[in-house]
Amino acid sequence: MYLSQEVKEKIFEKHGKSKTDTGSAEGQIALFTHRIEHLTKHLKANHKDYNTERSLVMLVGKRRALLDYLTKKDVLRYRAIVKELGLRK
């Protein structure tokens, strides 16, 4: 499985406050980004998998909403997470 408990803990430990802090916006954005990368890789090999494509679009929307929230709350945290994950070019 691509998203085991250990992988989640690493993501939250790196981007959140601790490995048990699953509610922070930065941790959730990092987790969504990891899932988006996995689904994108899957869709490159299986381009007719429309259910996965829909899931990917919904996940990107959730991440966008969290990024918008973070922009309104604290622009410095937004800029830090975007730079850390390489979301903008």
Side-chain angles (χ1 to χ4, degrees), residues 69-85:
Y69 164 78
L70 206 54
T71 303
K72 292 176 189 169
K73 289 299 265 186
D74 190 357
V75 175
L76 297 177
R77 284 172 54 195
Y78 167 79
R79 289 179 184 157
I81 194 71
V82 165
K83 186 175 183 181
E84 219 173 296
L85 295 174

Side-chain angles (χ1 to χ4, degrees), residues 5 9 11 20 28 31 41 43 46 55 64 67 72-73 76 79 85:
Q5 188 65 31
E9 286 178 359
I11 290 172
T20 58
Q28 289 183 15
L31 182 66
K41 199 181 324 177
L43 279 174
N46 305 291
S55 299
R64 180 74 255 159
L67 286 169
K72 292 176 189 169
K73 289 299 265 186
L76 297 177
R79 289 179 184 157
L85 295 174

